[in-house]
Amino acid sequence: MANSSNEASAGMMPSIVGVGSVNGGNNKNNNGQRGPGGGSTAMSSIGSKPTLIRTSNLCFLIMDAPRQSNLHLYIKECRRNDVTDIVRVCEPTYHGGELTSAGISLHEMAYEDGHSPPEPVLDRWLALVEDRFMGGGGGGGSGSGPSPAAKNKEHRTIAVHCVAGLGRAPVLVAIALMEFDRMDAVEAVMMIRSQRRGAINEKQLQYLEGYKCRKRAGGGGCACVIM
């Protein structure tokens, strides 16, 4: 199983690009926030700039976890990048109502840090990706919020985040690249790492190396040697 210790704590996350400023505040926890719906907080910036991963067929935005206090900044990034869906693969740190108001569907696909994605998560993730980019934009993924059916598939992006945006979220994006763009594990990981430094640790590489693609002709695997 893949070890996602590189995202075990947001405090260990390397800041790629800092946005905004940090203001003082009272009654805050060590992360500078009170949790979902907890009122105003000290954090008013994006932890690391969201990373766009685009191919001829697919488009993903890898993010760290928004907080209720800075969710509006992430929504601006999502609008800028034509995001129709956000996939949350960690514990909630914000409420989804603001996303619904912005026309973005929220999909809960949380799984335990330090583990590879379980079958139910993989099933839902692949169904969502296939629906949004290969299908007609219907209701794949069983998310909350409006359906993005009216949005042209050439102008759709799926955002996905874990805690730091370095482990669980990039692994799901790598799987999608392997499944739908016929990349091998090396190509997928190198593409992601070229845009998001520190993504995908050694254990996760091993998991991706042994991952068996479901949608390739003949059911062939995606295994390869990763140096």
Side-chain angles (χ1 to χ4, degrees):
M1 291 185 292
N3 187 335
S4 302
S5 59
N6 54 356
E7 62 167 281
S9 169
M12 298 175 65
M13 174 183 59
S15 178
I16 298 175
V17 177
V19 180
S21 60
V22 178
N23 301 317
N26 298 320
N27 300 323
K28 61 182 182 295
N29 63 22
N30 291 334
N31 289 324
Q33 89 283 326
R34 298 174 186 171
S40 62
T41 72
M43 296 300 295
S44 59
S45 63
I46 290 179
S48 67
K49 185 177 180 181
T51 301
L52 192 68
I53 304 295
R54 185 192 298 275
T55 71
S56 59
N57 298 315
L58 308 171
C59 192
F60 301 102
L61 193 67
I62 301 175
M63 311 189 304
D64 61 0
R67 304 289 176 180
Q68 196 65 43
S69 61
N70 63 7
L71 181 59
H72 64 288
L73 298 177
Y74 287 84
I75 290 175
K76 287 181 180 179
E77 287 288 328
C78 288
R79 284 173 167 163
R80 186 177 298 121
N81 290 284
D82 297 314
V83 168
T84 56
D85 303 84
I86 289 181
V87 175
R88 178 161 60 188
V89 297
C90 59
E91 292 301 311
T93 53
Y94 58 89
H95 294 303
E98 200 169 340
L99 296 177
T100 302
S101 298
I104 300 171
S105 296
L106 176 62
H107 305 264
E108 301 286 4
M109 300 188 196
Y111 64 94
E112 190 175 352
D113 190 16
H115 292 72
S116 55
E119 287 298 314
V121 168
L122 285 174
D123 288 343
R124 293 185 60 207
W125 168 247
L126 295 176
L128 176 65
V129 174
E130 184 170 23
D131 182 81
R132 295 301 185 255
F133 297 118
M134 310 297 167
S142 303
S144 62
S147 169
K151 199 169 185 68
N152 190 303
K153 70 178 181 179
E154 282 78 20
H155 301 283
R156 291 178 187 160
T157 302
I158 297 176
V160 55
H161 77 79
C162 44
V163 174
L166 297 175
R168 287 170 283 185
V171 164
L172 288 184
V173 172
I175 289 170
L177 295 174
M178 294 162 68
E179 290 276 9
F180 297 101
D181 258 342
R182 303 185 66 84
M183 292 188 187
D184 61 30
V186 169
E187 292 172 316
V189 170
M190 291 303 102
M191 182 178 190
I192 293 169
R193 282 183 169 177
S194 71
Q195 302 297 321
R196 193 166 184 87
R197 186 176 51 133
I200 304 180
N201 65 27
E202 182 179 355
K203 296 279 188 184
Q204 290 157 348
L205 286 173
Q206 293 174 1
Y207 165 73
L208 292 171
E209 178 182 7
Y211 178 81
K212 301 297 183 182
C213 289
R214 307 173 181 195
K215 299 186 177 295
R216 287 196 173 181
C222 305
C224 53
V225 177
I226 301 177
M227 303 300 291

